[in-house]
Amino acid sequence: MNAPELRRASFRGVPFEVTSSDFKVGRRTQTFEYPQRDTPFTEDLGRSKRTITVTAYVIGADYITRMKRLIAACEKQGAGRLIHPWLGTMEVVAVDLTSPRFESNRLSTVTLSFVESGKLEFPNSIVDAGGRCLKAASALTNANFDEFIKKFDISGCQDFVKKTVGEDFAKLFSEDSLSRIYQAFDLADDLADLANDAITLVSGAPQSLGQRVLDTLGLQGFASTICAWSNVANRFSQLTKENSLNSSKPTAVASRTTSERIENADAAVQTLVRQAALSNAVLAASEVGSENDRVDASAVVQTAPYDDLIQVRDNILEAIDAEMFKTQNDSVFEALSQAHSAVYEAITQRAENQERLVTFTPSAVTPALVLAYDYYGDSTRELEIVGRNKIRHSGFVPAVPLKLLNE
């Protein structure tokens, strides 16, 4: 076996030789594991510090003097320049110096560990608008839960009343409008289980019912993951307008008649689900327009244009305004108000620097591939034109006004 070849390196101008190097890289993560859920969620917190470990050889008649200089360089305060034979030049801090040895044959060795020095950056004044949305969504969920346990009351009712409320509950959670949304998060089975347990749940304590519903419908465990969040926000905003969530209205005065108690119970459940949908829309707003706003990890990151982001924002705000008009609960109203402010700030902040849509009319029927190349100089944007304008066949883009990014 051939002897390892020595390579020149230096730190703060003090030369030494190395034969190999350990280079540690990776990402900082935090893994969350949730009760009753098989799949964990790992949050990416950014790149880890880079660590370089080398065994330095100092060879020659002056090996003792040079090793002392290398030790002094490593003990000096602050970052220094490391010239690495394979990684090139980088600013590092020496964090460890282990077992310096002085051999009798004009050889000295020492193990050195360095970490990249990075940059000292002070916090800026940009508000974490996405974080505000997450906080607002959580506050709205809590206020929604508190209102529900005050409003839902069928205690002491006859069994047929509980059965009627349970059947209404099951019908609500079997709606296609709900199941279609939650299929995207693999929660359709959880929704079906909730509907199947309807009569048992409504016969128990309101706290247990409310918690089970919010645990099933809430998307907090999916925050900061890759998903088509713009589409999610639009669908939850639209869901709040469904007749199935607005068919019952509570009576103005608490009543003990059977029909009114059923009506009040149905209205409480519908409000719980409607406001849960709003909480999810507010949560989705934290990622609308971000790099996580795409179908899956394999999809190319494409920033949505200003017009699309503003439309998503306005859809959410319209749904929040409608709920503020309906609620008579001060805590819920305050939570909705905070959510309104957070959504407006988060999406507007992301949208303001994005490109606008313009209207462009082709002179003749043109393939989308050709149109993308002629307009953008990039034929790979064919699918963007087809998708945004809902073209039936990419080979035949009609000569009608189209919405294209102004670039």
Side-chain angles (χ1 to χ4, degrees):
M1 181 181 294
N2 295 329
E5 183 180 354
L6 293 172
R7 300 278 185 170
R8 292 295 300 269
S10 68
F11 179 59
R12 295 189 192 274
V14 181
F16 57 90
E17 283 77 33
V18 299
T19 58
S20 62
S21 173
D22 291 330
F23 186 38
K24 183 179 179 182
V25 298
R27 306 288 295 178
R28 290 174 290 123
T29 61
Q30 176 66 52
T31 299
F32 300 91
E33 295 181 284
Y34 302 95
Q36 308 303 319
R37 183 171 292 169
D38 293 337
T39 305
F41 164 62
T42 300
E43 182 179 6
D44 190 332
L45 302 178
R47 180 170 67 80
S48 298
K49 66 179 184 292
R50 292 177 173 176
T51 303
I52 304 101
T53 302
V54 299
T55 298
Y57 295 84
V58 177
I59 305 171
D62 59 345
Y63 71 104
I64 295 178
T65 301
R66 287 169 54 199
M67 177 56 72
K68 289 181 178 179
R69 287 176 55 204
L70 181 58
I71 292 172
C74 292
E75 292 179 332
K76 189 175 181 180
Q77 183 179 3
R81 177 170 295 180
L82 171 68
I83 300 178
H84 194 282
W86 297 284
L87 302 176
T89 301
M90 60 188 72
E91 292 294 317
V92 298
V93 176
V95 294
D96 199 11
L97 185 148
T98 307
S99 304
R101 300 177 59 187
F102 297 90
E103 307 287 349
S104 58
N105 54 352
R106 298 189 301 175
L107 170 66
S108 181
T109 62
V110 66
T111 301
L112 304 176
S113 292
F114 303 97
V115 296
E116 61 177 334
S117 61
K119 297 179 181 179
L120 179 60
E121 296 180 342
F122 294 95
N124 57 32
S125 59
I126 297 177
V127 177
D128 180 12
R132 280 194 62 197
C133 285
L134 294 177
K135 185 176 179 181
S138 178
L140 179 56
T141 298
N142 293 336
N144 183 20
F145 176 75
D146 291 341
E147 181 188 25
F148 175 76
I149 62 177
K150 293 177 183 177
K151 296 291 186 182
F152 186 86
D153 179 19
I154 54 173
S155 58
C157 289
Q158 294 176 309
D159 289 345
F160 81 89
V161 174
K162 296 178 181 179
K163 181 180 179 182
T164 301
V165 174
E167 289 173 347
D168 292 343
F169 181 97
K171 181 179 179 181
L172 174 62
F173 283 90
S174 300
E175 289 280 343
D176 287 342
S177 54
L178 268 177
S179 60
R180 281 197 302 270
I181 297 178
Y182 283 94
Q183 279 175 353
F185 297 93
D186 295 326
L187 295 175
D189 290 342
D190 295 345
L191 209 63
D193 291 341
L194 186 61
N196 291 333
D197 296 340
I199 295 179
T200 303
L201 288 170
V202 300
S203 299
Q207 291 89 338
S208 300
L209 171 59
Q211 194 62 59
R212 173 73 181 277
V213 171
L214 293 179
D215 286 346
T216 302
L217 298 185
L219 298 180
Q220 284 78 6
F222 296 91
S224 303
T225 59
I226 293 176
C227 182
W229 289 110
S230 293
N231 185 41
V232 169
N234 282 330
R235 295 183 71 175
F236 275 114
S237 299
Q238 185 62 37
L239 181 63
T240 62
K241 302 176 183 178
E242 291 285 332
N243 290 333
S244 59
L245 296 181
N246 297 277
S247 61
S248 294
K249 295 180 175 57
T251 56
V253 181
S255 174
R256 309 311 294 177
T257 66
T258 298
S259 61
E260 289 176 335
R261 293 193 71 178
I262 293 174
E263 189 76 8
N264 284 340
D266 286 348
V269 172
Q270 290 177 16
T271 300
L272 180 71
V273 177
R274 196 172 60 244
Q275 291 180 5
L278 268 181
S279 296
N280 288 337
V282 174
L283 181 146
S286 68
E287 294 292 348
V288 168
S290 72
E291 63 178 14
N292 289 331
D293 190 5
R294 47 192 166 130
V295 177
D296 53 47
S298 63
V300 178
V301 177
Q302 290 184 343
T303 303
Y306 174 89
D307 309 65
D308 289 356
L309 293 180
I310 295 302
Q311 184 61 58
V312 175
R313 182 199 70 184
D314 291 347
N315 289 342
I316 301 174
L317 296 184
E318 180 185 352
I320 292 175
D321 288 339
E323 194 64 30
M324 291 174 73
F325 182 77
K326 293 174 184 176
T327 188
Q328 298 177 352
N329 184 292
D330 291 342
S331 297
V332 172
F333 186 90
E334 177 63 24
L336 288 168
S337 179
Q338 293 298 324
H340 191 288
S341 174
V343 170
Y344 181 88
E345 184 173 17
I347 301 183
T348 303
Q349 188 180 92
R350 292 195 180 111
E352 60 186 6
N353 294 323
Q354 303 308 320
E355 302 292 341
R356 269 59 169 176
L357 289 175
V358 296
T359 300
F360 174 80
T361 304
S363 58
V365 175
T366 309
L369 185 72
V370 175
L371 183 59
Y373 185 80
D374 288 345
Y375 191 84
Y376 295 117
D378 182 1
S379 59
T380 62
R381 299 182 68 171
E382 168 193 9
L383 295 180
E384 176 188 331
I385 296 174
V386 172
R388 175 168 291 116
N389 295 279
K390 297 180 174 57
I391 305 299
R392 292 185 178 182
H393 194 294
S394 62
F396 303 93
V397 178
V400 298
L402 305 174
K403 291 294 184 182
L404 302 179
L405 274 178
N406 182 25
E407 296 185 354

